[in-house]
Amino acid sequence: MSYASFPVVVLPTYNEKENISHILPEILKQDKRIHVLVVDDHSPDKTADAVKKIQKKYSKRVHLISRKGRGRGAAVLKGFKEALKLGATSIFEMDADFSHNPKDLPRFLKEIEKVDVVIGSRFVKGGKIEQRGWLRNVLSDILNEMIRLLLGLKIHDTSTGFRLFRSDVIKKINTKKIVSKNYSLCPELLYRATQSGFSLKEIPIVFVNRYAGKSKANLHIAIDYFLTIFRIRFSK
Ligand code: GDD
Ligand code: MN
């Protein structure tokens, strides 16, 4: 079986009206087999309406969930469950603000035939971060080192939100154990996948800071991230 035969891209969105109508066609044109599932948390800017417009053109390949809660992690988990119901063979997690380049998708699809989880890494040879302030980069470095140490992960980019999972990985991970509601779901999923014996591989990506809209990360979210890493480490 080919893991690339039915890939579903789970795209969490909160106030991405300016980006969503551009990124959806960009993603879909990378590969005819790709479907996209937007998980929107009732964005006040009406991102969902923009998705519905695009759905008219690509009806069968664009799916939308409007969720009542908030948080990137919880939205992604909901999307994963829905993608499994659709029958996905592999599932992407990706940002909707063009920080993750849709042109990278085919490279992930090639790798997924060989490994259980493909990780888009900013910290391996060929990967980098562009146009982001030095402070945010330093914080990102510190966070990554801390996660690697605490969770015993051997990869370089534990917090990246651009990855591709074989569906078996998502089916096997016990989602009831997951404690993350927000961005810390990124390292937590890698931790749970390694615990279950799945193989991970990093491929380089260039992360470009968003040019439209605002980042949803803030100090409160950063502190919650930090504390959640400890909760993951000491969870059963
Ligand atoms: N549904 C939903 N609900 N989506 C959300 C929410 C939410 O509460 N918060 C953020 N998102 C979506 C955004 O709309 C975007 O598509 C994606 O999640 C990333 O959010 P950003 O706010 O742009 O995050 P960032 O650029 O600061 O963080 C990036 O770097 C981190 C590591 O440095 C992301 O790639 C993260 O995934 C990554 O962990
Ligand atoms: Mn972003």
Side-chain angles (χ1 to χ4, degrees):
M1 192 209 54
S2 160
Y3 288 99
S5 61
F6 183 14
V8 174
V9 179
V10 170
L11 218 56
T13 56
Y14 194 77
N15 286 346
E16 300 291 358
K17 194 180 77 178
E18 291 161 276
N19 291 310
I20 197 73
S21 44
H22 300 291
I23 201 155
L24 284 175
E26 255 330 290
I27 292 174
L28 292 169
K29 82 176 190 209
Q30 299 307 321
D31 191 306
K32 284 203 174 75
R33 299 168 296 183
I34 291 180
H35 281 225
V36 188
L37 172 61
V38 179
V39 189
D40 183 67
D41 288 358
H42 285 290
S43 297
D45 77 349
K46 301 218 162 64
T47 302
D49 288 352
V51 176
K52 283 175 198 155
K53 262 192 202 155
I54 308 252
Q55 262 181 327
K56 285 187 187 134
K57 196 167 164 198
Y58 299 92
S59 55
K60 291 206 177 84
R61 294 173 68 201
V62 178
H63 312 262
L64 170 69
I65 301 177
S66 291
R67 225 173 55 96
K68 275 215 182 86
R70 258 314 295 278
R72 185 188 186 279
V76 165
L77 275 187
K78 173 82 187 158
F80 282 180
K81 283 180 196 148
E82 207 55 39
L84 288 178
K85 281 189 203 156
L86 290 172
T89 52
S90 54
I91 309 175
F92 278 99
E93 170 184 5
M94 182 181 178
D95 292 348
D97 60 356
F98 281 101
S99 285
H100 299 150
N101 190 343
K103 292 197 176 79
D104 290 336
L105 294 169
R107 277 197 296 133
F108 282 78
L109 288 174
K110 253 186 215 147
E111 292 297 332
I112 201 66
E113 306 295 2
K114 292 176 264 174
V115 66
D116 297 313
V117 185
V118 184
I119 302 166
S121 175
R122 300 159 294 176
F123 308 133
V124 291
K125 195 166 177 280
K128 62 177 168 187
I129 299 177
E130 277 179 356
Q131 289 152 29
R132 203 167 72 168
W134 67 270
L135 183 63
R136 182 76 204 264
N137 286 343
V138 169
L139 288 175
S140 180
D141 276 354
I142 296 173
L143 188 70
N144 249 284
E145 266 319 308
M146 190 194 96
I147 296 169
R148 275 159 53 99
L149 277 173
L150 272 169
L151 301 185
L153 291 168
K154 297 205 167 55
I155 48 161
H156 300 85
D157 197 343
T158 57
S159 63
T160 174
F162 197 8
R163 301 92 66 86
L164 177 60
F165 299 86
R166 286 185 181 174
S167 291
D168 325 344
V169 179
I170 304 301
K171 276 183 208 151
K172 177 103 189 272
I173 291 176
N174 183 352
T175 46
K176 286 194 194 97
K177 273 192 184 176
I178 289 180
V179 297
S180 300
K181 298 262 182 291
N182 222 319
Y183 295 86
S184 58
L185 179 72
C186 294
E188 179 164 14
L189 280 178
L190 299 184
Y191 179 66
R192 305 277 175 217
T194 342
Q195 272 187 328
S196 303
F198 290 111
S199 53
L200 319 175
K201 183 181 176 183
E202 289 179 280
I203 61 168
I205 57 152
V206 176
F207 179 101
V208 186
N209 204 18
R210 64 160 73 231
Y211 46 84
K214 275 198 199 110
S215 166
K216 279 88 212 173
N218 55 36
L219 185 65
H220 172 81
I221 284 177
I223 293 169
D224 173 68
Y225 200 131
F226 192 79
L227 295 176
T228 310
I229 297 302
F230 285 90
R231 284 183 59 209
I232 297 167
R233 170 68 181 78
F234 297 106
S235 70
K236 283 199 188 127

